[in-house]
Amino acid sequence: MLDVRNLEVSFATRRGNVAAVRGIDLHVDAGETLGIVGESGSGKSVTSYAVMRLLDPAATLSATRLNYGGIDLLRASERDMRDLRGREISMIFQNPRAALNPIRTVGQQISDVLRQHVRAGRSDARSKAIAAMEAVEIRDSAQRFRAYPFELSGGMCQRIVIALALACDPRLLIADEPTTGLDITTQKTVMDLIAKVIRQRNMGAVLITHDLGLAAEYCDRVMVMKDGRVVEQGVPDKLFQHPVDAYTRKLVDANPRAGTTVRELLPNESRSPMPCMKGASQDSLISVDRLGKIFATAGAPVHAVREVSFSISRGGSLGLVGESGSGKSTVSSIIARLADASSGTASFAGADLFDVPAHRFARDPRRARIQMVFQDATDSLNPRHTARQSLLEPIKRLSSSGAKEREARVRELADLVGLPHVLLSRFPHQLSGGQKARVGIARAIAVEPDLLILDEPTAALDVSIQAVILNLLVDLRARLSMTYLFVSHDLQVVRMLCDDVVVMKAGAVVEQGPVSEVLHTPAHDYTKSLIAAAPKPPARVESLGATRISSHA
């Protein structure tokens, strides 16, 4: 179905040409799913854009062969490619909200695709669009037809994007990180849906992901890419259990899985002894009792949080887990004093935390004692501030130190989080994802808080970068004696970083207790479903048996 030989893509920049894809070969047969794994910058997405001929004007594309079903895609005109895209070859893009038009209803957008490829006329476009939505198991499709993207959850937007991609019955589907940012149950639902449609329609598919668990579960073959080259490929079980290439071994080892410690995510040469944890004291630093939050809407009020209670001992670490919409981020925002509770009480260091409303808490002396690391490091950093300015801001606002002390503190923070001083003068767009995450963490600990709230701090990072950041958080907690509230949907990460865990569903707590008990012997059916839905990353057995290939094999 798809046959690619010696594919090369380079981009013209002010510093010369940058090779993004370096002579790779790949093929996809009908009914087969090919997985392409690797970290950001490995060339995975550029490869898919090259097949679709959706590259930036600064790109140069060449190949010995780039054929789809007997059609030479290299020589096809742009008019022919517009006809092929969506009708024959379709793509699920990484960010569903960015892929959807915000000022047209989702139903109109599916209708547009159907009419563009003459699969529907003005009279039947609506009914066929609703049928396309029903095909991806969207309930109340007739009502959803009139919804705008901002009115839908992330998981529902992802289903709409899948409906768009499948509306014209394409023969080849390219899915570029289709589950990034989704919670584990929604992720499993989306991937099961994609796999079901591929199987029913006998389609060819390419799954691009950095999640080895997804690749192992849903792909027939896997290619591992690094620096624009294919370093290794094979059947998932054999490839991941017996990787030959050092890079593949590094990826496999960096995936959090049952039975591993946070240090074992790092390469052997990067491991240091685990820090000696002082352990949580008997004193409670933060205690929440019957916390509730109601949002007023045009319709009925929305109960986002319902009578949530828990406490965190000083020096302890509590994980807050659940699906999107479970209320965990709302709880963390209330405790961070970025939002007010509708009901309930909370005490911090023995005093009432809610005695000052959220809009006035920025001037409260306790502001420096409660800090937060946000989920998206890019969006939470001021794009007009350098890394140095981002670190200086909380120090200026929340401490009384002088200019020399502030500059010394910035350099000390950079050292604490492993950020080279040369990067302090760079803006966010000049930093990698891992570097921006380090800046976000350094900014949060700049004023030495007692409580650090971490909202999915590694959700958008590659596994090897995630491994470094998780180890950094473990070391910082030990060194600075901080207390953590760790919000995450990754149960293995929570197991590694937390002492206790609270499981939330529909705004309420369904189970809580020590991590070792809740995640190993869950009592509630919902907790069991979360554990069952989590991808099972492959474990490396030994370094024998996989087939290593060169980029020009």
Side-chain angles (χ1 to χ4, degrees):
M1 183 173 290
L2 180 67
D3 189 12
V4 179
R5 292 286 183 271
N6 196 29
L7 177 68
E8 298 196 356
V9 181
S10 62
F11 292 90
T13 71
R14 282 176 288 184
R15 297 183 179 180
N17 281 348
V18 175
V21 176
R22 306 163 185 253
I24 72 167
D25 301 340
L26 66 88
H27 72 276
V28 181
D29 298 329
E32 180 185 42
T33 298
L34 170 69
I36 304 179
V37 302
E39 296 175 297
S40 298
S42 63
K44 309 186 302 295
S45 293
V46 174
T47 298
S48 66
Y49 293 145
V51 170
M52 297 282 286
R53 291 267 305 276
L54 288 174
L55 292 169
D56 186 273
T60 299
L61 165 66
S62 68
T64 304
R65 185 183 304 164
L66 185 56
N67 285 1
Y68 162 75
I71 301 170
D72 188 346
L73 299 180
L74 270 180
R75 293 175 173 78
S77 67
E78 180 55 30
R79 181 176 179 178
D80 291 336
M81 289 303 303
R82 282 199 302 268
D83 186 48
L84 286 171
R85 296 184 198 116
R87 182 173 61 83
E88 291 285 335
I89 309 173
S90 201
M91 191 165 186
I92 300 171
F93 293 94
Q94 182 170 353
N95 186 337
R97 293 193 189 279
L100 294 171
N101 188 330
I103 60 173
R104 286 180 68 76
T105 68
V106 295
Q108 288 172 330
Q109 295 182 60
I110 298 174
S111 299
D112 291 342
V113 172
L114 289 166
R115 295 181 64 185
Q116 169 71 27
H117 294 289
V118 201
R119 292 301 182 100
R122 186 184 296 273
S123 60
D124 62 349
R126 184 178 187 276
S127 61
K128 288 189 175 181
I130 291 174
M133 294 168 71
E134 290 173 344
V136 294
E137 301 175 6
I138 294 176
R139 288 178 293 181
D140 302 321
S141 295
Q143 292 182 332
R144 300 288 190 188
F145 183 92
R146 299 190 296 271
Y148 290 90
F150 70 88
E151 297 178 302
L152 302 176
S153 68
M156 189 60 67
C157 282
Q158 191 64 278
R159 285 176 183 259
I160 295 296
V161 170
I162 295 171
L164 274 166
L166 300 175
C168 296
D169 294 322
R171 295 179 60 217
L172 178 64
L173 178 67
I174 301 174
D176 187 5
E177 300 278 10
T179 61
T180 297
L182 299 181
D183 60 70
I184 51 178
T185 51
T186 305
Q187 172 179 275
K188 179 170 176 55
T189 301
V190 166
M191 285 306 305
D192 285 348
L193 174 62
I194 292 174
K196 177 183 175 182
V197 173
I198 290 170
R199 186 171 58 253
Q200 288 177 341
R201 302 186 186 183
N202 197 35
M203 299 167 62
V206 178
L207 173 63
I208 298 169
T209 182
H210 63 251
D211 189 326
L212 301 193
L214 287 183
E217 186 171 351
Y218 292 98
C219 297
D220 301 301
R221 287 186 297 113
V222 174
M223 282 174 30
V224 182
M225 290 189 67
K226 180 179 186 292
D227 298 332
R229 302 183 187 276
V230 178
V231 297
E232 196 166 355
Q233 66 176 325
V235 177
D237 287 347
K238 187 176 180 181
L239 178 70
F240 293 139
Q241 290 182 9
H242 309 285
V244 173
D245 193 86
Y247 178 72
T248 311
R249 293 198 296 270
K250 175 185 172 185
L251 287 183
V252 173
D253 291 345
N255 274 266
R257 56 192 177 275
T260 58
T261 66
V262 70
R263 281 294 193 261
E264 290 173 333
L265 303 180
L266 297 172
N268 286 330
E269 63 274 13
S270 302
R271 296 177 190 174
S272 59
M274 282 289 287
C276 181
M277 291 288 184
K278 296 180 180 178
S281 71
Q282 298 300 314
D283 298 331
S284 173
L285 177 66
I286 177 95
S287 182
V288 177
D289 185 42
R290 300 172 69 87
L291 187 69
K293 179 65 177 179
I294 301 174
F295 289 101
T297 66
V302 175
H303 291 258
V305 178
R306 303 169 183 264
E307 298 193 341
V308 170
S309 301
F310 61 81
S311 64
I312 314 176
S313 299
R314 191 179 295 274
S317 180
L318 176 75
L320 201 57
V321 303
E323 298 172 296
S324 297
S326 63
K328 56 187 188 298
S329 290
T330 302
V331 170
S332 63
S333 295
I334 292 171
I335 294 175
R337 304 309 291 119
L338 300 176
D340 287 314
S342 301
S343 60
T345 61
S347 65
F348 177 74
D352 183 8
L353 184 60
F354 296 161
D355 59 344
V356 175
H359 70 275
R360 288 172 46 197
F361 199 80
R363 300 179 182 276
D364 191 278
R366 291 169 294 180
R367 173 74 286 165
R369 300 180 65 187
I370 304 174
Q371 290 292 299
M372 190 167 186
V373 177
F374 296 92
Q375 179 172 354
D376 193 320
T378 300
D379 286 348
S380 65
L381 294 176
N382 189 328
R384 297 184 178 182
H385 282 186
T386 63
R388 174 179 279 102
Q389 290 171 313
S390 292
L391 300 188
L392 277 172
E393 186 175 12
I395 302 172
K396 287 180 179 179
R397 293 174 64 90
L398 301 174
S399 75
S400 56
S401 55
K404 287 185 178 180
E405 290 84 356
R406 289 197 295 265
E407 181 59 30
R409 178 59 176 163
V410 166
R411 300 175 78 84
E412 180 186 1
L413 287 168
D415 291 336
L416 270 174
V417 301
L419 186 72
H421 292 183
V422 69
L423 300 181
L424 290 172
S425 60
R426 294 190 184 180
F427 292 92
H429 73 275
Q430 298 172 312
L431 299 172
S432 69
Q435 290 164 349
K436 283 182 281 194
R438 290 174 189 269
V439 173
I441 294 170
R443 181 181 60 177
I445 66 172
V447 287
E448 300 181 354
D450 295 320
L451 175 64
L452 187 63
I453 301 170
L454 301 124
D455 187 6
E456 302 273 12
T458 62
L461 300 179
D462 293 321
V463 288
S464 61
I465 300 173
Q466 173 182 262
V468 174
I469 298 300
L470 293 178
N471 277 275
L472 171 64
L473 291 173
V474 168
D475 293 343
L476 287 175
R477 179 187 166 202
R479 186 180 304 182
L480 304 178
S481 300
M482 284 188 294
T483 303
Y484 283 175
L485 174 60
F486 195 90
V487 181
S488 180
H489 64 251
D490 191 323
L491 301 183
Q492 293 302 335
V493 169
V494 168
R495 179 184 63 79
M496 290 178 170
L497 264 70
C498 301
D499 307 313
D500 300 290
V501 63
V502 171
V503 183
M504 291 187 65
K505 179 186 180 185
V509 175
V510 298
E511 189 167 0
Q512 61 181 307
V515 165
S516 57
E517 293 180 10
V518 173
L519 297 188
H520 287 88
T521 54
H524 197 278
D525 288 342
Y526 177 69
T527 310
K528 295 176 183 177
S529 70
L530 287 181
I531 295 171
K536 307 299 187 292
R540 183 159 62 92
V541 178
E542 55 182 320
S543 301
L544 296 172
T547 302
R548 183 177 182 176
I549 67 168
S550 72
S551 59
H552 299 286

